[in-house]
Amino acid sequence: MVPGNDTGFSQFFLLGFSEEPELQLLIFGLFLSMYLITVLGNLLIILAITSDSHLHTPMYFFLSNLSFVDICFTSTTIPKMLVSIMTHTKVIIYEDCLTQMYFFLLFVQLDNFLLTVMSYDRFVAICHPLHYTVIMNPFLCGRLVLISWVIGALNSLLQSLLALRLSFCTVLEIPHFFCEFKEVIQLACSNTFLNNTVMYFAVGLFGGGPFAGICYSYSKIVSSIHGISSAQGKYKAFSTCASHLSVVSLFYCTGLGVYLSSAATQSSQSSATASVMYTVVTPMLNPFIYSLRNKDIKRALRRFLCSEVIPSIMYFYVLM
């Protein structure tokens, strides 16, 4: 296939995980289940936090933003994959692929920034409890979220604009279930030195930097937990930190692994599997990690379900 500046007419083929028809139904059911759990779990967290005035604190403000971003994050990739399986078509046109790349980069960076901000919030709450309300004031919290959106949007826009300068062959195959930025760059027929340079710089700055900050915050938190006199309180704090760190580590290790590994050392199948970990699994686990182990969230959920959902269902059946 001859390289050419045929970007406007290019179409990509998302190969997914398997070409075997008998596995398509299994893959469809698995991803549909994970998507529904992610959307429902994160939506319940948002509704519980917004409906309970006791949860209008910095920690839950960041958590509600994380839940919203996780819903958008998974909605960027999974619905297209499910439709492709149902319609037995793997084609995605260039414009749709570029749009998917932009929103994917935006929401993955927002996830990254919000996890960092949440770790800083917990660091201040545990290590500097007397100054917590002064440091984590509403103005700072709003500004941190706004800065996260601005940086994420600008970086995603830069990466997408740089992708516009690339030339592609007429028909291209992406060994993935969505248009992942790195995979698309590797399929370009033109010089990708600038794209790779900017991509690796952004991954190191906006990926490695926040991860280092999270590790530092939790190291300080663990040091403070050692000073707790109650053995039960110490165990509870350690178990909570361990569950948070397990999800954070899964998100960063797989995400950074996909983007920092070279094409020669990573197969397309392993790359797609690793991508599932940080694009699908971690958004699905966040509601369980941040709600099932949190008494305030569980109390707010029970109150919301009893006061809003159950009466609405009963009223609906009365009308029927």
Side-chain angles (χ1 to χ4, degrees), residues 232-287:
Q232 183 178 2
K234 186 180 295 186
Y235 171 77
K236 182 180 178 180
F238 269 122
S239 63
T240 302
C241 286
S243 61
H244 291 183
L245 276 176
S246 61
V247 177
V248 170
S249 299
L250 180 65
F251 176 81
Y252 279 100
C253 291
T254 54
L256 292 175
V258 167
Y259 278 88
L260 295 180
S261 61
S262 64
T265 59
Q266 188 177 47
S267 66
S268 58
Q269 191 66 36
S270 62
S271 176
T273 303
S275 295
V276 171
M277 294 296 105
Y278 79 93
T279 60
V280 182
V281 175
T282 53
M284 182 184 66
L285 291 178
N286 281 335

XYZ file of all heavy atoms in Angstrom, residues 232-287:
407
model
N -6.973 -0.937 66.106
C -8.089 -1.063 65.179
C -8.115 0.107 64.193
O -8.337 -0.074 62.994
C -9.404 -1.124 65.948
C -10.629 -1.338 65.057
C -11.918 -1.440 65.856
O -11.897 -1.306 67.075
N -13.020 -1.666 65.177
N -7.866 1.308 64.708
C -7.824 2.483 63.837
C -6.676 2.415 62.853
O -6.816 2.802 61.688
N -5.548 1.895 63.312
C -4.397 1.757 62.428
C -4.673 0.739 61.324
O -4.340 0.975 60.154
C -3.173 1.333 63.241
C -1.876 1.283 62.453
C -0.711 0.845 63.340
C -0.446 1.867 64.428
N 0.780 1.521 65.207
N -5.305 -0.370 61.696
C -5.624 -1.396 60.696
C -6.619 -0.863 59.669
O -6.459 -1.102 58.451
C -6.214 -2.627 61.387
C -6.764 -3.658 60.426
C -5.919 -4.513 59.721
C -8.147 -3.758 60.214
C -6.424 -5.449 58.832
C -8.659 -4.685 59.328
C -7.797 -5.528 58.646
O -8.311 -6.441 57.764
N -7.627 -0.130 60.122
C -8.626 0.423 59.215
C -8.001 1.419 58.247
O -8.290 1.409 57.043
C -9.732 1.102 60.023
C -10.844 1.679 59.169
C -11.913 2.334 60.032
C -13.001 2.960 59.158
N -14.057 3.619 59.982
N -7.117 2.276 58.771
C -6.462 3.273 57.922
C -5.556 2.599 56.899
O -5.532 2.984 55.721
C -5.656 4.245 58.787
N -4.807 1.585 57.339
C -3.917 0.870 56.419
C -4.704 0.134 55.338
O -4.309 0.128 54.160
C -3.045 -0.124 57.184
C -1.734 0.447 57.637
C -1.390 0.458 58.978
C -0.828 0.986 56.723
C -0.182 0.991 59.393
C 0.380 1.510 57.124
C 0.703 1.517 58.473
N -5.813 -0.497 55.708
C -6.606 -1.235 54.721
C -7.225 -0.296 53.702
O -7.301 -0.619 52.505
C -7.697 -2.048 55.427
O -8.604 -1.192 56.103
N -7.661 0.891 54.161
C -8.218 1.873 53.232
C -7.158 2.375 52.263
O -7.384 2.463 51.049
C -8.819 3.057 54.013
O -9.832 2.574 54.902
C -9.432 4.073 53.056
N -5.970 2.699 52.788
C -4.877 3.174 51.932
C -4.452 2.092 50.942
O -4.148 2.389 49.779
C -3.685 3.597 52.787
S -3.924 5.151 53.657
N -4.429 0.841 51.409
C -4.012 -0.260 50.537
C -4.995 -0.440 49.377
O -4.584 -0.666 48.229
C -3.906 -1.552 51.336
N -6.294 -0.328 49.664
C -7.283 -0.482 48.595
C -7.193 0.665 47.597
O -7.293 0.458 46.388
C -8.694 -0.553 49.200
O -8.994 0.639 49.914
N -6.986 1.886 48.104
C -6.832 3.032 47.206
C -5.586 2.874 46.341
O -5.616 3.089 45.122
C -6.742 4.332 48.009
C -8.018 4.713 48.667
N -8.175 5.876 49.396
C -9.235 4.094 48.712
C -9.405 5.943 49.852
N -10.063 4.870 49.459
N -4.486 2.498 46.970
C -3.223 2.370 46.244
C -3.257 1.243 45.224
O -2.598 1.329 44.183
C -2.073 2.143 47.233
C -1.463 3.396 47.859
C -0.402 3.020 48.890
C -0.855 4.305 46.792
N -4.011 0.189 45.509
C -4.082 -0.928 44.563
C -4.723 -0.481 43.250
O -4.237 -0.819 42.166
C -4.874 -2.089 45.172
O -6.210 -1.695 45.462
N -5.815 0.298 43.333
C -6.474 0.789 42.125
C -5.611 1.826 41.424
O -5.482 1.826 40.194
C -7.856 1.378 42.469
C -8.523 1.950 41.224
C -8.744 0.315 43.077
N -5.006 2.728 42.200
C -4.141 3.756 41.624
C -2.950 3.112 40.911
O -2.576 3.512 39.796
C -3.661 4.729 42.709
C -2.564 5.645 42.167
C -4.820 5.578 43.212
N -2.356 2.100 41.533
C -1.212 1.414 40.929
C -1.614 0.701 39.649
O -0.873 0.707 38.657
C -0.619 0.411 41.922
O -0.157 1.066 43.080
N -2.801 0.086 39.656
C -3.287 -0.588 38.450
C -3.479 0.417 37.319
O -3.097 0.157 36.170
C -4.611 -1.298 38.748
C -5.262 -2.057 37.588
C -4.392 -3.225 37.151
C -6.655 -2.542 37.984
N -4.019 1.567 37.640
C -4.263 2.601 36.636
C -2.951 3.108 36.048
O -2.778 3.177 34.825
C -5.047 3.758 37.268
C -5.275 4.926 36.354
C -6.303 4.907 35.425
C -4.463 6.042 36.414
C -6.522 5.983 34.577
C -4.672 7.128 35.570
C -5.708 7.099 34.656
N -1.993 3.450 36.907
C -0.757 4.060 36.424
C 0.198 3.042 35.804
O 0.833 3.330 34.782
C -0.053 4.805 37.567
C -0.621 6.168 37.811
C -1.523 6.391 38.845
C -0.279 7.250 37.012
C -2.065 7.646 39.069
C -0.806 8.507 37.222
C -1.687 8.697 38.258
O -2.218 9.940 38.463
N 0.312 1.881 36.405
C 1.270 0.888 35.884
C 0.865 0.407 34.490
O 1.717 0.276 33.599
C 1.379 -0.289 36.849
S 2.195 0.125 38.406
N -0.423 0.151 34.290
C -0.861 -0.297 32.970
C -0.867 0.855 31.972
O -0.463 0.688 30.819
C -2.261 -0.925 33.052
O -3.168 0.002 33.685
C -2.231 -2.212 33.845
N -1.330 2.040 32.407
C -1.371 3.184 31.502
C 0.010 3.630 31.061
O 0.280 3.793 29.862
N 0.916 3.801 32.029
C 2.276 4.199 31.684
C 2.989 3.088 30.921
O 3.812 3.357 30.041
C 3.055 4.551 32.957
C 2.599 5.817 33.696
C 3.381 5.984 35.002
C 2.777 7.056 32.822
N 2.672 1.837 31.256
C 3.294 0.716 30.551
C 2.935 0.699 29.080
O 3.779 0.408 28.227
N 1.678 1.014 28.766
C 1.243 1.028 27.367
C 1.967 2.115 26.589
O 2.428 1.898 25.453
C -0.286 1.236 27.287
C -0.714 1.572 25.861
C -1.013 -0.010 27.762
N 2.109 3.292 27.180
C 2.655 4.422 26.430
C 4.177 4.508 26.465
O 4.777 5.090 25.559
C 2.052 5.730 26.954
C 0.695 6.007 26.368
C -0.455 5.501 26.975
C 0.553 6.724 25.190
C -1.702 5.725 26.427
C -0.690 6.964 24.635
C -1.815 6.458 25.262
O -3.046 6.676 24.710
N 4.804 3.943 27.477
C 6.259 4.040 27.570
C 6.973 2.837 26.975
O 8.176 2.893 26.727
C 6.684 4.228 29.032
C 6.231 5.531 29.698
C 6.723 5.590 31.133
C 6.730 6.744 28.912
N 6.256 1.734 26.765
C 6.888 0.559 26.174
C 7.003 0.757 24.669
O 6.178 1.416 24.041
C 6.072 -0.701 26.474
O 4.770 -0.581 25.928
N 8.024 0.165 24.101
C 8.225 0.279 22.659
C 7.403 -0.763 21.926
O 6.973 -1.765 22.492
C 9.710 0.094 22.309
O 10.134 -1.216 22.656
N 7.176 -0.513 20.668
C 6.404 -1.458 19.852
C 7.107 -2.797 19.739
O 6.472 -3.837 19.551
C 6.167 -0.865 18.462
N 8.425 -2.802 19.847
C 9.172 -4.045 19.688
C 9.040 -4.960 20.888
O 9.172 -6.166 20.784
C 10.654 -3.726 19.443
N 8.777 -4.375 22.070
C 8.737 -5.178 23.294
C 7.317 -5.497 23.742
O 7.130 -6.200 24.713
C 9.463 -4.442 24.425
O 8.818 -3.169 24.644
C 10.911 -4.214 24.078
N 6.314 -4.980 23.033
C 4.943 -5.197 23.461
C 4.079 -5.619 22.280
O 4.019 -4.928 21.272
C 4.383 -3.919 24.096
C 3.018 -4.119 24.757
C 2.555 -2.851 25.432
O 2.621 -1.782 24.853
N 2.074 -2.978 26.657
N 3.409 -6.765 22.395
C 2.533 -7.227 21.337
C 1.217 -6.455 21.377
O 0.861 -5.846 22.379
C 2.259 -8.727 21.503
O 1.526 -8.969 22.689
N 0.506 -6.496 20.251
C -0.766 -5.788 20.175
C -1.781 -6.362 21.159
O -2.585 -5.631 21.738
C -1.315 -5.871 18.753
O -1.486 -7.230 18.356
N -1.742 -7.684 21.375
C -2.679 -8.318 22.295
C -2.419 -7.896 23.727
O -3.347 -7.586 24.487
C -2.570 -9.846 22.169
C -3.688 -10.604 22.882
C -5.045 -10.365 22.248
O -5.151 -10.240 21.040
N -6.082 -10.270 23.066
N -1.162 -7.861 24.138
C -0.834 -7.451 25.502
C -1.135 -5.977 25.709
O -1.549 -5.556 26.791
C 0.636 -7.733 25.805
O 1.486 -7.000 24.939
N -0.933 -5.160 24.678
C -1.251 -3.739 24.762
C -2.741 -3.525 24.936
O -3.173 -2.696 25.753
C -0.756 -3.016 23.504
O -1.124 -1.655 23.526
N -3.555 -4.266 24.186
C -5.006 -4.140 24.307
C -5.476 -4.593 25.681
O -6.360 -3.970 26.289
C -5.690 -4.954 23.219
N -4.883 -5.675 26.199
C -5.247 -6.173 27.522
C -4.890 -5.159 28.598
O -5.673 -4.906 29.526
C -4.548 -7.507 27.804
O -4.886 -8.452 26.774
C -4.963 -8.059 29.154
N -3.695 -4.576 28.505
C -3.274 -3.562 29.477
C -4.170 -2.336 29.403
O -4.490 -1.724 30.434
C -1.819 -3.172 29.232
N -4.602 -1.987 28.193
C -5.485 -0.833 28.039
C -6.826 -1.058 28.721
O -7.423 -0.123 29.255
C -5.698 -0.521 26.556
O -4.497 -0.122 25.940
N -7.307 -2.306 28.697
C -8.566 -2.614 29.369
C -8.452 -2.340 30.866
O -9.407 -1.868 31.505
C -8.962 -4.089 29.128
C -10.147 -4.488 30.002
C -9.303 -4.312 27.670
N -7.269 -2.587 31.429
C -7.079 -2.415 32.863
C -7.306 -0.964 33.290
O -8.003 -0.698 34.270
C -5.664 -2.854 33.263
C -5.369 -4.333 33.103
S -6.375 -5.381 34.174
C -7.533 -6.052 32.983
N -6.733 -0.019 32.563
C -6.853 1.371 33.012
C -8.004 2.128 32.360
O -8.388 3.200 32.851
C -5.527 2.116 32.802
C -5.226 2.589 31.399
C -5.573 3.864 30.979
C -4.570 1.761 30.485
C -5.280 4.295 29.692
C -4.267 2.190 29.207
C -4.628 3.459 28.820
O -4.341 3.886 27.544
N -8.589 1.596 31.293
C -9.717 2.277 30.660
C -11.072 1.725 31.087
O -12.076 2.439 31.017
C -9.627 2.181 29.124
O -9.650 0.806 28.727
C -8.353 2.832 28.616
N -11.121 0.473 31.514
C -12.394 -0.162 31.843
C -12.435 -0.645 33.291
O -13.408 -0.374 34.015
C -12.671 -1.353 30.896
C -14.021 -1.987 31.215
C -12.640 -0.911 29.440
N -11.404 -1.358 33.720
C -11.432 -1.990 35.042
C -11.355 -0.962 36.168
O -12.145 -1.011 37.116
C -10.292 -3.021 35.161
C -10.252 -3.599 36.578
C -10.488 -4.142 34.147
N -10.408 -0.026 36.094
C -10.270 0.936 37.196
C -11.494 1.851 37.350
O -11.912 2.096 38.490
C -8.990 1.777 37.038
O -8.957 2.365 35.728
C -7.763 0.913 37.205
N -12.111 2.364 36.268
C -13.344 3.125 36.481
C -14.464 2.293 37.094
O -15.321 2.825 37.798
C -13.721 3.586 35.061
C -12.443 3.617 34.316
C -11.667 2.453 34.857
N -14.461 0.983 36.817
C -15.471 0.104 37.405
C -15.193 -0.156 38.884
O -16.121 -0.271 39.699
C -15.509 -1.227 36.638
C -16.557 -2.201 37.148
S -16.519 -3.804 36.306
C -14.906 -4.421 36.839
N -13.910 -0.220 39.262
C -13.558 -0.510 40.649
C -13.690 0.699 41.571
O -13.916 0.540 42.774
C -12.117 -1.028 40.713
C -11.844 -2.408 40.110
C -10.360 -2.745 40.226
C -12.677 -3.476 40.797
N -13.551 1.906 41.021
C -13.583 3.111 41.855
C -14.833 3.225 42.722
O -14.726 3.568 43.910
C -13.409 4.360 40.985
C -11.962 4.604 40.607
O -11.043 4.179 41.304
N -11.738 5.279 39.492
N -16.047 2.972 42.189
C -17.228 3.054 43.062
C -17.176 2.084 44.238
O -17.627 2.425 45.336
C -18.385 2.712 42.116
C -17.889 3.045 40.767
C -16.425 2.721 40.790
